[in-house]
Amino acid sequence: MKTKRHAARRRPSTRARWTTTAAALVATGVLVCLVVALRPDGDADPGRTVAVPAADAPSSTVTRPPSAPPSPSPSRPSSASPTASPGASPSKTPAATPGARASASSPARAVAAEPPPAGRIRPGVTYRGLATHYDAGDGDGACLFGPSDDLMIAAMNHADYETSRACGAHLRVRAANGASVTVKVTNECPLPCAPGQLDLSKQAFAKLGALSAGEIPITWTLLSPSTPDTVAVRYKTGSTRYWCGIQVVGHRNPVARLEVRDGGTWHPLPRAEFNYFLSERGTGCGGPLRITDIYGEQLRFDGVAVRPDVLQPTGLQFRRH
């Protein structure tokens, strides 16, 4: 009779039990993480990162990256310039104003390193001549300042006109009888007007004597008057960046020189008899300007846009002397 043999059941070894237990713990940990991540009452936390453990790691870990300051978004200027240099810091564009503004990066006022050469009309000198009169019409003249309601004006004789250098000069004129009048030079009196002679508007001449006299002896001196006006700049009709004429208007003292900056160098422009400084090849048209009066004071501007036949105020004025 055969004895029935039962298959022997092997008990798992201690090592096998620990392996099974560890696997169960890892599975339980993963299940808990999934439950937490997928719970209906919470969204995924964008600031949290789940690190996948290595095979021999005891459990999964949760790490939070160090919080970094938010990167500043690039600011945009209120008005972007199409010609801005790469890498230039954007800056707020000032409110649009007619005309030009003095440079903020360089002095708006300076004293010329080389004083302008003395012209025929000099401060502190008394000139003698004759006064005649003419019909001034709307007040315009060879200086091309344009019509004016103020007809206390004069035409300067050809010699003292000095290729329009006398334009805009303010003069105190005195007659032998003691009467006086202040006039502004806006015109030229051609030959045979003699040196020292002033051809006054009828309105100005009448302040000194009767029009019927025709001419009277006078003396006159240069003034540096008080004035509410500021210097303005005007480009001649037809001006472009390839050719331009530049005129200075409203100046207290006679203008001796106008320069434009090109290639890092200041270039003086020649002056025409019709009171414009000319840049025949367009040098400096629309760029920085430097205007010097007969006392050597300079007014400097970053640039005045080429806007033909438009009077553009600068907001500055030469000092009174």
Side-chain angles (χ1 to χ4, degrees), residues 133-140 151 153 187 199-203:
H133 59 79
Y134 74 106
D135 185 356
D138 62 5
D140 201 3
L151 295 181
I153 56 179
N187 209 345
D199 202 19
L200 303 177
S201 66
K202 290 182 177 180
Q203 292 85 345

Side-chain angles (χ1 to χ4, degrees), residues 3-317:
T3 303
K4 186 175 179 180
R5 300 177 61 184
H6 296 277
R9 298 182 62 185
R10 298 177 59 189
R11 297 182 61 186
S13 65
T14 303
R15 181 177 181 181
R17 289 200 306 272
W18 278 110
T19 301
T20 303
T21 303
L25 288 175
V26 171
T28 303
V30 172
L31 181 60
V32 170
C33 289
L34 289 175
V35 171
V36 171
L38 298 177
R39 70 183 187 273
D41 59 340
D43 296 329
D45 186 351
R48 298 172 65 91
T49 301
V50 177
V52 179
D56 59 348
S59 63
S60 63
T61 59
V62 177
T63 61
R64 184 183 299 275
S67 57
S71 300
S73 59
S75 59
R76 298 183 60 188
S78 58
S79 176
S81 170
T83 58
S85 301
S89 299
S91 58
K92 185 177 180 180
T93 303
T97 56
R101 286 189 177 276
S103 169
S105 59
S106 59
R109 293 180 182 273
V111 177
E114 297 182 7
R120 290 182 60 87
I121 303 177
R122 305 180 186 184
V125 177
T126 298
Y127 298 85
R128 297 180 181 275
L130 290 176
T132 52
H133 59 79
Y134 74 106
D135 185 356
D138 62 5
D140 201 3
C143 295
L144 298 184
F145 288 134
S148 173
D149 294 332
D150 183 2
L151 295 181
M152 293 296 108
I153 56 179
M156 180 61 73
N157 67 80
H158 176 74
D160 294 328
Y161 185 74
E162 201 174 3
T163 316
S164 76
R165 183 167 174 148
C167 285
H170 298 269
L171 310 175
R172 173 64 57 82
V173 186
R174 296 184 183 277
N177 62 8
S180 67
V181 64
T182 299
V183 296
K184 177 181 175 180
V185 177
T186 63
N187 209 345
E188 178 185 13
C189 183
L191 296 172
C193 278
Q197 182 175 347
L198 295 177
D199 202 19
L200 303 177
S201 66
K202 290 182 177 180
Q203 292 85 345
F205 190 96
K207 301 286 186 181
L208 303 177
L211 294 177
S212 58
E215 62 181 41
I216 56 176
I218 57 167
T219 60
W220 53 272
T221 55
L222 180 67
L223 294 179
S224 179
S226 61
T227 175
D229 295 335
T230 59
V231 172
V233 173
R234 176 162 52 202
Y235 278 91
K236 195 177 188 305
T237 301
S239 292
T240 67
R241 62 189 181 95
Y242 303 106
W243 178 96
C244 65
I246 307 173
Q247 183 187 53
V248 184
V249 181
H251 43 91
R252 168 183 281 131
N253 307 319
V255 171
R257 186 167 58 224
L258 184 145
E259 300 165 277
V260 294
R261 190 170 180 84
D262 182 70
T265 304
W266 289 104
H267 303 272
L269 297 183
R271 192 172 194 163
E273 290 193 353
F274 50 85
N275 194 31
Y276 275 86
F277 294 86
L278 303 181
S279 179
E280 297 286 357
R281 297 184 178 180
T283 301
C285 294
L289 302 178
R290 188 165 69 181
I291 305 168
T292 307
D293 70 2
I294 63 172
Y295 297 96
E297 184 182 7
Q298 295 177 330
L299 302 181
R300 187 182 305 175
F301 312 103
D302 275 343
V304 181
V306 180
R307 300 171 62 194
D309 204 28
V310 175
L311 200 61
Q312 302 184 62
T314 66
L316 293 178
Q317 181 59 271

